[in-house]
Amino acid sequence: NAGVTQTPKFQVLKTGQSMTLQCAQDMNHNSMYWYRQDPGMGLRLIYYSASEGTTDKGEVPNGYNVSRLNKREFSLRLESAAPSQTSVYFCASTSAGSYNEQFFGPGTRLTVL
Amino acid sequence: DAKTTQPTSMDCAEGRAANLPCNHSTISGNEYVYWYRQIHSQGPQYIIHGLKNNETNEMASLIITEDRKSSTLILPHATLRDTAVYYCIVRGNAGNNRKLIWGLGTSLAVNP
């Protein structure tokens, strides 16, 4: 099993450009999450999807949209990137049947110039 | 808001036990204590969780005080690879309470 995979690993954007961060999991998990982590900070929840077909806002949803494409995939879209969105983005997933141990991907390092 | 308080940093000698404290004085009866760690910008890794009993697994032990207002994560024989930021998180296990709220964690340095 690959676990949680994220693409791309690195990305540089100019202000105003758009892009989609991809996340996929092969563990048949119901719930998926997108976090951002700024230097010296803990993780902050952007959006989550408790199950296929549902999405909800987290702490810092402004400037982002998400799509739960199917049970495996959960994408994060930046419609018009801003320098404040420079961060490391982590995707995670968890099984509804467990005590919600979250499995994390390796992260996407995004710089917005 | 994060519901836990942890020291900013700690040091430990290689081979010795690392004891990482966490204060969660406002924990409610249905909230669990979770520990994760993050090694040098990698994705966080789950370590252990507990409700009120002490727990042990292959990675660590979790000691929760009887009043549940604090806990200690114990790495029994720390190695250099245990150098990481350790996060203590409290959360419920139902509905929206499943979301994790992350604080700043404790940066543990294991020294040779």
Side-chain angles (χ1 to χ4, degrees):
Chain A
N1 288 348
V4 179
T5 57
Q6 293 183 236
T7 56
K9 287 186 168 54
F10 300 93
Q11 184 70 50
V12 178
L13 293 177
K14 295 180 179 178
T15 297
Q17 288 185 315
S18 62
M19 79 160 297
T20 299
L21 282 65
Q22 306 287 353
C23 174
Q25 52 89 11
D26 61 2
M27 296 172 283
N28 200 36
H29 285 171
N30 291 319
S31 301
M32 298 184 73
Y33 308 80
W34 276 106
Y35 294 91
R36 62 176 287 174
Q37 186 175 34
D38 300 315
M41 304 286 287
L43 278 71
R44 292 184 293 170
L45 183 65
I46 304 171
Y47 271 94
Y48 68 102
S49 171
S51 61
E52 187 179 355
T54 68
T55 60
D56 286 287
K57 295 178 180 179
E59 298 174 73
V60 288
N62 291 344
Y64 305 95
N65 286 300
V66 291
S67 295
R68 183 75 182 267
L69 304 170
N70 47 56
K71 192 171 186 179
R72 287 188 65 247
E73 299 173 287
F74 189 37
S75 63
L76 178 71
R77 182 160 179 84
L78 287 70
E79 290 291 350
S80 179
S84 61
Q85 294 179 303
T86 294
S87 190
V88 180
Y89 291 85
F90 289 103
C91 177
S93 71
T94 188
S95 168
S98 73
Y99 282 101
N100 294 299
E101 169 190 348
Q102 290 194 6
F103 293 83
F104 283 81
T108 293
R109 283 144 185 83
L110 175 66
T111 300
V112 183
L113 302 176
Chain B
D1 293 337
K3 299 181 183 179
T4 63
T5 303
Q6 298 177 252
T8 303
S9 63
M10 295 183 65
D11 287 292
C12 176
E14 187 178 19
R16 305 296 294 269
N19 298 293
L20 291 88
C22 179
N23 182 289
H24 33 80
S25 58
T26 60
I27 192 170
S28 59
N30 65 347
E31 288 185 317
Y32 287 71
V33 180
Y34 284 74
W35 284 83
Y36 283 75
R37 73 180 184 183
Q38 187 174 25
I39 298 173
H40 189 55
S41 300
Q42 296 177 19
Q45 176 190 23
Y46 165 83
I47 301 173
I48 199 167
H49 76 279
L51 183 62
K52 54 184 177 181
N53 298 321
N54 297 337
E55 302 288 345
T56 295
N57 63 21
E58 64 278 5
M59 290 182 68
S61 294
L62 174 60
I63 309 298
I64 302 174
T65 58
E66 192 170 342
D67 64 7
R68 303 209 324 121
K69 293 184 177 183
S70 65
S71 61
T72 301
L73 179 75
I74 301 172
L75 309 178
H77 305 285
T79 70
L80 299 179
R81 287 176 295 181
D82 291 322
T83 293
V85 178
Y86 288 77
Y87 296 96
C88 169
I89 301 163
V90 296
R91 46 156 277 191
N93 249 20
N96 289 338
N97 286 333
R98 288 179 172 174
K99 292 183 289 184
L100 297 176
I101 305 298
W102 299 73
L104 299 179
T106 295
S107 180
L108 175 68
V110 181
N111 303 309

